[in-house]
Every structure is written in structure tokens, then in C-alpha cells.
Amino acid sequence: GPPAASRPAGLGGPSLGASGGAMADQGAAAIFAGQVALATEALQDPRTSPQERQAANELVVRVPEHPHAVEIAAQLAGPERPPAARLFAFRLLVVAASEGRLQAQAPQTAQLREALLNMVRQHASDGDLSKVPAFVREKLMQALAAVAIFSSDWPSSWPQLQAELLELGRRSPLHAAMALTFFRNVSETLQSDSSRLSPQRRKALQGHLVETSGEVFAALGSFIRAFPGSPELDRMAVLLAQELAGIVPVTKFLAGDLDTFLHQKLADSALQIEVLRTFSEWLARDIAKDLRDAPERMKQFLCGICDLVNFCRAESLSAEEYEAHKSVAMLIRDFVECNKPSLDRHGDLQAKAYQSAVQLLRYPSVFIQAEAASIIPHVLKVAIVDPRKAPASEPKPPPTWLRLKEELLPLLFLCTHRQIPQSFDVLPLPPGFQRSMEFTSELDAEEDLPGIQQTLKGRTVEIIQALTVAPARIVESLEFVHELLPRVLGTAGDGRGASFASVDAALGLAERILPHIKGAGAGAGAAQACGVLLMGVLRANDCQGWGPDFELRRLEFLGRAAGVLDLLAEEMREDANALVVQVFGHLFSVVEGGGKDLRTKALYAAIGVCKAAPKAIRPVLDAIVTKAAGLLASAADNQHVLCEALVAASTAAQNFAQQQTLLQNLLGNLVSRWGGLLGGLASPERLAAKLLGDRADLEAALQLVRCFEACFRASTVPTDPAIAGAGGFLREGGGSQNPANEVVSLVLPGLLGLLRAFHGAFPSDVTRPLVGPAGIAAESLRPYLLALDGEELKALTSSLDSKAKEEGAEEKAFPPPAGADPERILQGRHLLCSLRLHLYKCLGAALAIQGAGLPNAELPAQLGTAVLESTEYVHPYHLELQLRHVWFALCGLGGVPTAGEALNASLAGALLPRLLPAAAHTLDRYWHWLQLPEGHLAAGSEETALRWAMCTGTVMASRTLVELGASLVAHGGPAAGPAGTKRGAGPEPPMKAESTDASGPRRSRGPRKGRAGPAGGHAEAGDGAAEGGSGLLTAFPDVLEAIQGTLCVAARWQDAKAIGHALIGMRAVAVRILSGGEAHQTLRESHAAAVEATERCLPALQVALRPVVSLCQSLPAPPPGGG
């Protein structure tokens, strides 16, 4: 340790808590200042012991709050004090001045101002400034600036300050840097959010800086000429120019030739970034006034800024140089984005900015290319005038600098590449371009390279959008891509330039152009160019042996670009029909002869084409469906995708009879197979035997269920009432009908029967012994039922868990038993998982079809036996699937669409009072089971994974159940009356309240009398509320009682999100009661003023407040095991 004489002494002396009288004595203040000086030295000395450092820190921290802190700072600021003490003193003065503790008129403040200025003078007189550390000099000038701003009326009451500082700056480069530091600190304070400055004071000081900026810049120029090559002076000059940018107009800087000085300092690697940041501060604002005041000088300066792109050379690039080049790109981008009106008025600036951006597009960096691509749309939007909007008397000629096919499009093609191939020859690249691109990409990967690439893609789209106002330019763009394809495919003759990366980029560029054709209003010319391009893609051959990759990319392109077929149908009907036939012919040929991945991609591409181009498909719909129906029988897999594509195509007809016929023809064979298959799967015993034996029938059933699900989901009714009426979708008695109604009526009974048998054969509740058919074959079924499939485990895994989880953890979680065929076990688990999921999805899609085709009396009973009776015996994750895919389809916001409102409401009214309590009871049991110390009977390595899956599934199902209940209260459910009945006209429902406390559930019935309040039960427009007052909750009070009970139970579960949903639901119930049946987020004044308001208060308190008070009195314990 240091010798005793060098250690800070006296740290235990007079404390800062001493009385003010004692501190008033100057001798005591001087002694205490000495102690603080020793403490600051101790904090800077690495040899100080921890105990001494702690004592010193405690002393120093309390100084700023002491009433005599200014006197202490004055004692510590003297030149004889150590640098650490002086730095601390100047900090104290800055804080005291900025907090208003130095009154301008106080004699002490006047003495302090003079003392600070004398320190500068003293150093100037003896010339020994170099012995003072730079950080002390800068803090001295910051204290002087703070005192001048907050503790004086400078410049009026201290007029000599500015002139004296500038004069003292002529003594040495360090004095000059100190003078500039003063003005920099003044500017920085004026642009801060300090609340101590009044708007008048701030405005006056800013005006003074603008008025005297010429004087300051003249002095700065003389300093630089007198002391060339001074690093500290140069740095401070750059920082001053940067800080003043927010106050002083650009023309003032240019009048002082500061731009010339800054351009010279670009050669200094230590100042490059700061110089570019200074230019950015000057130009990242509207400079229209500067351009009006000094047009020639400003244009000279702006051209110099644009010429900075010549400074960006990528040869032998370093990380520091790359950062400077990025700053240049961002500087030009900021200028263009902030000065679009000025660019509109100055064509020469448009050309200069565009040429700079084009040059930056050649730079080997995704980041800089994205910045350049951000500049071009702004320039094009002001340079290319929409002929439909331009005055006929003043046509604006197209810009001569825009060379689309020769320059811009090749560069966009270059930027679209994910990786630049060595064979790239569309435009000349400098040597080492690919190597430099790899280097900059590594640096950008430290930030967000995928995000930058996505930004570049978006900017490319904006460039194409800017070109759409000129139809000729769009046609030119399409021609460029069409001419490019043979070159990158290697079919142009010489084979040069062939590369799959370039094929991918060419198709990517085409995908960015084609969606904007229609918006361009290009007419027949663009349509013809589109047709030629699509035909070229269809006819392209893989001459380079790229294999499936090329066909996969082509199929992806066809699916994305299909929307343009509708434009062809409008402009060139016969050609469009022929092209659509060829597109589908190509897709179907891949389905027939391609591998599995190619078939899947082709089918999904067909869905994209069907949905994006209904007008083009309509004339050839019959031919397409006939061909596809033949494929359906022979397709080995993905039949459901083909079904979805065909039903999506059938919606193009917009004719009920035609769509219904197409569906019946398409699904006739499937429905026949469905009827024949169900006989062997009608009982739980047969299903269990099929799983343990030959699984062909189970797999066939899964494929059919997926086909029906896809068809029901894709079959839609036109949303436009006029189109729906003209197409025959409206019923005579009101409401609409779906073309898939008859198919649903044929499939739904068997679907419910299969689901009932499935639940009986494969109960997934792992908290109790297997029962029924599963109990008979317990040992054989145990590997399938007491485990989850890998896909289910992935669905249960959060993104955070996914990062921490080792690869293949799904297979390791539930290993097959010893001696069993692991592949067969895993395949069986996946089969059960898929069949369960798609049975639920298919049932939900069938219920969503308008008017499900079964009598109202039958469907609730069948749904009850198929689904509700098994609720108690399913895994919580499977319960969540059921809630999400079945009950939300039936009872979620809007429920079954309008034509099925009566059916939907009766189903919900019959089923929800059974569903909600059963689901809540099951989940409540799971929450209790999770806290049992002994766990479950399952043993071995499965235990941890089993409990984890149960816990996660319970949380998911709990949240979904409470979300369902809260949403039912919020939107009121579907109307209970017949279709077309106006909502909101019924009486207030009888309210039942249920709460739970220590003694168990307790109910109270609210008043049954009274109608809706003054609002008449209607939600007012603009509130975002559903139409309330009648509907499900009005017609079925038991539903509301079930919802209340569910919310109260859920408020006891150990999941914060479920509790939050429950509380929101309780509030919604209370608002509905107090408002007389309306669905709002909060009460309105009209509700409180209603005659019935007082009668409604008690039931609302019983429903909402009592459970909340009970919850607050006994909060759920934290979940065990760290949650």
C-alpha cells in the first residue's frame, strides 16, 4: 500500500451534517475543502484500500446537496488544487448553476463569475496551460458557460465575455480550443431540455449566437490559420460546428468557409466520423430557406456533399473505413429525405442525388446498398410526374439521367442477389467485389444482417412503385427481366453468366415488379409484357443441372406472381385464358411426376394462383377442375392441399349453383370412401386395434378428414351483398347459404361418430389410470397415450425454451419402451396427434359453414356425446386444441355467420352451460395435481417431461378458456332470434352472480325486472362495442352464469395471464349489468343516469367485486418448482 504520508487523511473529520454556523466560518470551509480534495484523490488512486475508498465516496457523494456546496467548490477550483479536485469543483458549479442555486444578482455569484474568468486569464498570462489536463480545461469552460447562461444576463450584463474569450484564444491552440469549448457548451445547453431556461431566455441566447456567428467563425478561421495541425483545436472546431447546426443556418457556416475546413479534415482518420456527423447535422433538416438566400453557394456545397461518394472506395477495406463509408451513405440519405420539396424545385440537385445513389448501389455492402435504395424512390417521385395528374399545359419531360435498362435495373438485379456469383457479368464489377461483400456482411451481421436485407428488399419495391406512374418504364422493366432470364439460365448461346443465384435474383426482381403493374395503368402494353415474361418462365429449361431447386423456385414465382393474370384477363382475354391453362398444366404436370417436395410446392402454388386471379380462372374453371379431380384420385399425398386449391378456384365462379356442382363433383368420390371407411372405425375397440395393428384405415381416415377440412375452410360466400345476391347465395327467407352445405350434412354425422370413438379409444389424461377400451389394452397403448408427439412438444415449447433446448429433444423426452420398434411407436404417436388435431379443425370448419344442415335438436346432442363427455379425460393441451378449433368457431366473436345465427345461438345455449363448468373443473383438477408432491404414477425418465408438458398445457388451456369466456361477455355472442332479427331490442337478462370464498361458491340473483337504459340497449357508433342487449346472454341466462363461474374459478389459478383475463371478463360482466345489457369497455354517463342504475348496482357488486375482494384476501401461492 502507499506510505502513510501519501494516503488521504482526515476523512473522519467534520461531517457534511455540521451546522450552517460552523460552515460559515471561512477557515472551516477551507479545512473541509481540503478533506474533499483528499477524498477525490483517494477515489482516483488505485492503491486506496476498500475501506478508505468507501469513506471517500460517502463524503464526496453528499457534497452537492450541502447548502455550502458552492463555497466548497470555490475552494476546490483554484489552480493550486489537484486535477481531480478541480474537476469535482467545476462539476459542482455546473450543477449549482443549472439548478438555480446561483442567483444572478448575488455578490457571491458575481465574484464566482470573475474568479472563473480569471482562471482563464491567468493561464493565458503565464502560458502554462499545457500542464492542466484537457478534461479539467473542458470542465472549466462548461462551468463558465453554465454560470453565463443560468446565473447572469449574458450577453447584456456581461458584454465583454465573448470578446475577451475570443481574444484570449489567439494566445495558443489550447486557449483557442477553450474558447470554442465555451460556445459549444452554450449551444448544447440551449438545445437541451433544461426546464430552468424560460422560452424567452432560450430564444434570446439563440438569437445572439446566430447574430454573432460571423464573429465566432471569423475567429475560428484565424485560430486555424495561426495554429495549423493542432489536434485538440481541430477536434473542438468540428464539434462546435456540429453543435451549432441546430441553431445557426447553413449559409452562416458557408459564409465562414467552415465547409472547406471540414472537407480538409476528412483526411484525418481521427475526425472522419465527426466531420460526417457534422455534415449530417447541417443537412438533416429543411434547407429551403438557405437555398433561397444563397442558391449558388448552397448548390456548390451540396454538390460537394454528393461527391463524397468518391471517398467511398472498397479496396483494402478496414472496419474503420467501412464505418466512415456508411456515414456518407446515411448523410446523403438524410439530406434527400428531409429536402424533397427542394429537390422538386431544383432539377440539378435531383440529378446529383440520383447519381450519388447509383454509385453507392455499386458498393459491396448490403447496408450501403439499402441506404442508396432509400434515396432513389424520393428522387424518382419528384422527377417523374404522373401524366394523369400533371397539367396539360406544362408537361414535364422525363429525366435524361434515368437510364433504366442500362444502369438502374442491372444494379437492382445486383442488389437482389443473396450471394453474388463469380460468373456475374450483367454489369462490370471491380476486382475483389465478392470478397469485400463477404467482409462487410460479416461486420453487418453483428447488427442485423437479415433485417438489413429485408430493408433493401422493401426499398427495391418502393423504387418500382415510384416508376409505376410512367407506364413505359414498367414495360421497360418487364422487358429487362425477360431478356435477363436466358442469360442467367445459360440458354443465351455462350453459356456465360449462368447461375442459380442469379436465376433466384431475376425472379425476385420480377416478383417486385409484377404486383405493381395494375397500379401503373399501363394497359395492353404492360399486359403483353407480363404475358411474355410469364411464358418465358414457363418455358425455361434447366440447362445447368440445378435439379429440384430450379423447379421449386419457379413454382414459388408462379404462386406469387399469379395476381397479374387478372390484368391479362382484362386486357387480353383469349391470351389470358390460354396462359392460365398453361400455368395450371405446368402445375399439374409437377403434381403428377414430381417428388414429394415439388408436388407440395406445386399444390400450394395452385392455391396462390386460384386466390389471386379469380377473373382469369373463371372462363376456364370447368377444365381446371375436371383435370384436377382426376389427379385427386391418383395423388399419393397432399390430397388436402389439392382440395383446397380446387375449392379456392371454384370460388372464382361467384355462382352458388356452379360452385355447389363443382364441390359435389370434386368430393363425390371422397364422400363415398368416407362412408365405407367409417364402418371399420365406428367403435373405440376397433380404433385401438387399428392403431396396434394395420394402420392403413387410420391413415386413410386422416387424409379424408384433412381433405374435408381444407374444402370447408376454402368454401366462402362473397362478402359483397350485391355479388352474393346475383350469384344465388342468398336464401329466400333471409341470410346466405354456403355451397358446401350439402357436403357438410353428409360428412358431419360420421365426423362426430369418429370423434366420439377416438375419445373413447385414446383418453389422454395422464393423471389417472386408463379406463374403457384403453384400460383393457393398457400396456400396449401406454407408449402412445402417456407420451406426446414431437409436434405437440414443439407447440408447447416457447421461443425461449427453443433456444435453450438441445436438438432432437422431442424424441428424447418420451423414449419408446425397451424392446419395442421405435420407428413404429413414433409413427403411431404422430398419427394420433395429427388425427386428433385435424378432427377438431374439421369439426370447427364444418360448424363455421352457414346452416350446418342438421336439425337443431340433433346437433347439440351429438356434439355433447362426441366432445363434451370426453372433456374430463383429455390432456390439457388437447383441451386447448378443442377450445381453440371447435368452440371458438362456434361461440367466438361473430360465431357462425349470419345465416346460421339461430342454429348457432341454440347450439351455444345448449352446450356452453355444460362446456364451461366441465372445462373449468378439469383444469382446476390439473392445477391441484401439478402441486401434489408425489406426482403421477408414471415413473422413469418420462416423469420430468410428463409434468412439464402437463404444466405448460394447463397454462395454455387455462388462458384459452378464460379468453373464450371474456370474449363471450364482451361481444355478447350471436343473436338468439331468427336470422335478420334486429339485435338490441330485448329485455335485460336475469343476472346471476357467483363468487368463491373460503366457504365455497355462493350465488345471488339480481332483479329480473327493468328494461335497457336510455340507450335502448344499443351500442353507440364508434365505441367499438358489439351490438348488445339481446343475443346469446339475453336468451340463455345459464350461459352467463356458467361464464361467471368459470371466471371466478380461473381467478384462483396460478397463472397471472389467466387471472388478468378473468378480471377483464369480470369487469365486462359488471359493465354489461350496469349498462342494461350493452357491451362496452367502460360505463358511460347515460348508464349512471338511468332510472335503473341503483337497482343494477347490487348484482354488479356481487358478480365482480366479491370475487376480486376474495382474490385479494387470499392470493394464489406462487407455483412450485420456480414456476
Side-chain angles (χ1 to χ4, degrees), residues 1 13 25 202 206 365 392 439-440 467 513 668 696 737 820 1008:
D25 180 64
R202 193 186 301 270
Q206 289 176 343
S365 158
F439 174 72
T440 60
L467 292 172
I513 297 172
Q737 53 186 344
R1008 293 179 178 271

Side-chain angles (χ1 to χ4, degrees), residues 668-683:
N669 291 334
L670 298 184
V671 172
S672 299
R673 288 172 55 197
W674 174 249
L677 191 64
L678 289 176
L681 305 174
S683 67

Side-chain angles (χ1 to χ4, degrees), residues 571-728:
E571 300 290 343
M572 310 158 56
R573 179 170 301 178
E574 293 183 3
D575 292 342
N577 294 346
L579 185 57
V580 169
V581 170
Q582 292 191 52
V583 168
F584 274 96
H586 181 80
L587 297 177
F588 291 154
S589 67
V590 175
V591 172
E592 286 183 295
K596 182 177 180 180
D597 291 342
L598 285 176
R599 291 199 303 271
T600 303
K601 180 67 77 172
L603 290 170
Y604 280 108
I607 294 176
V609 176
C610 293
K611 292 182 177 179
K615 293 180 182 178
I617 292 173
R618 197 173 300 148
V620 294
L621 181 60
D622 290 333
I624 293 174
V625 173
T626 301
K627 172 65 176 174
L631 282 176
L632 191 60
S634 60
D637 49 28
N638 287 315
Q639 291 178 325
H640 60 285
V641 184
L642 182 57
C643 285
E644 184 175 355
L646 293 174
V647 177
S650 74
T651 59
Q654 294 184 346
N655 180 281
F656 177 82
Q658 186 178 0
Q659 286 182 230
Q660 189 179 49
T661 303
L662 288 172
L663 274 168
Q664 291 171 351
N665 292 339
L666 174 67
L667 299 178
N669 291 334
L670 298 184
V671 172
S672 299
R673 288 172 55 197
W674 174 249
L677 191 64
L678 289 176
L681 305 174
S683 67
E685 293 80 7
R686 291 180 181 179
L687 275 178
K690 293 289 185 184
L691 178 68
L692 299 175
D694 184 1
R695 298 171 179 169
D697 285 350
L698 284 178
E699 291 170 351
L702 172 62
Q703 187 62 50
L704 289 175
V705 167
R706 298 191 70 178
C707 288
F708 294 138
E709 172 203 336
C711 292
F712 299 159
R713 188 174 61 243
S715 181
T716 58
V717 175
T719 55
D720 187 338
I723 297 177

Side-chain angles (χ1 to χ4, degrees), residues 90 110-124 140-141 143-144 147 158 160-166 168 178 182:
F90 294 139
Q111 294 172 4
L112 180 62
R113 290 197 297 263
E114 194 63 22
L116 290 173
L117 188 54
N118 278 335
M119 292 180 195
V120 183
R121 292 169 181 156
Q122 181 181 0
H123 288 308
L140 166 61
M141 301 315 292
L144 183 61
V147 170
W158 202 358
Q160 77 279 12
L161 175 62
Q162 180 165 329
E164 186 169 357
L165 286 175
L166 293 177
L168 291 173
M178 288 179 68
F182 171 82

Side-chain angles (χ1 to χ4, degrees), residues 762-799:
F762 309 119
S764 56
D765 177 11
V766 299
T767 65
R768 62 180 78 192
L770 299 177
V771 295
I776 298 173
E779 280 305 313
S780 302
L781 288 176
R782 184 184 180 90
Y784 301 101
L785 301 186
L786 296 184
L788 292 179
D789 179 58
E791 294 299 319
E792 294 175 308
L793 289 176
K794 287 179 182 178
L796 285 168
T797 305
S798 69
S799 58

